Every structure is written in structure tokens, then in C-alpha cells.
Amino acid sequence: FPAGGGNPCTAEVAFSPDGDRGMTCAQRTCTLWRVQDHKLFQQRSATEGVSVQSVVWSPTGDRVLTTFVPRGVKESSRVVVWGADTGDESWRVVLAPKPQ
């Protein structure tokens, strides 16, 4: 679907293993939802200049892992782990390509 200015945006959706929560990510914003009442639980935005690459829930449903890719530099990714109960970021790392 088009974002502002007509550029396509990356969108990712993933549901918790129990189906109670969902995380949607578009461009650089990730939103944690309660599925039953469609209520926004938490929302976080990454730094400017990155796009969402993927969203995955942990098997126990207590964490969500997201990856972000800098626009124009696809060799590096940022991995962020979110606490599913709080929506707080619990871990972050930037993965850089191996030097040649």
C-alpha cells in the first residue's frame, strides 16, 4: 500500500502464539495491539532512515523480535527485541556485514 508521497512502504504483521496480540510494523513504526478489542497497547518508532524488514514472536509469546534495514544500505540490519507485556525495548544490536 502506498505511503505518503506514493512510495510503497514495507508492512509486516505477526500474531502472538496464543492469538491474543498482534504486532504491525510499517516503515519505521511498530505497533502492539490487543486482538480481542483492537486496542493499541504500545507503539514505538525507530530512528529516521530505517525500514522494517521482519517481525517474529517468540514461541512463548513473551517477546517480539523486529529487524530494521537502513534505507539504501541493505548490508546492515538492526535487530530489536520487545517485551510483549510492556512493549518496552529489551535488547538491540546492529549487524554489520563482514569486512572483505
Side-chain angles (χ1 to χ4, degrees):
F1 52 89
N7 295 325
C9 67
T10 302
E12 293 290 326
V13 178
F15 292 95
S16 63
D18 62 8
D20 288 343
R21 292 165 289 180
M23 181 172 266
T24 57
C25 296
Q27 293 183 331
R28 65 184 192 97
T29 301
C30 290
T31 305
L32 190 59
W33 300 88
R34 288 194 315 231
V35 173
Q36 185 176 12
D37 58 7
H38 309 282
K39 189 167 187 167
L40 171 88
F41 179 60
Q42 291 285 336
Q43 188 170 44
R44 299 284 187 253
S45 293
T47 57
E48 195 66 42
V50 298
S51 295
V52 174
Q53 186 178 33
S54 61
V55 179
V56 180
W57 283 81
S58 68
T60 57
D62 63 337
R63 293 174 303 233
V64 185
L65 181 139
T66 55
T67 60
F68 297 88
V69 177
R71 289 186 211 134
V73 185
K74 297 208 182 251
E75 295 83 3
S76 298
S77 294
R78 181 175 304 149
V79 178
V80 180
V81 177
W82 310 81
D85 292 332
T86 63
D88 292 336
E89 187 178 305
S90 60
W91 186 78
R92 170 191 294 243
V93 68
V94 175
L95 304 174
K98 187 169 122 179
Q100 297 288 327

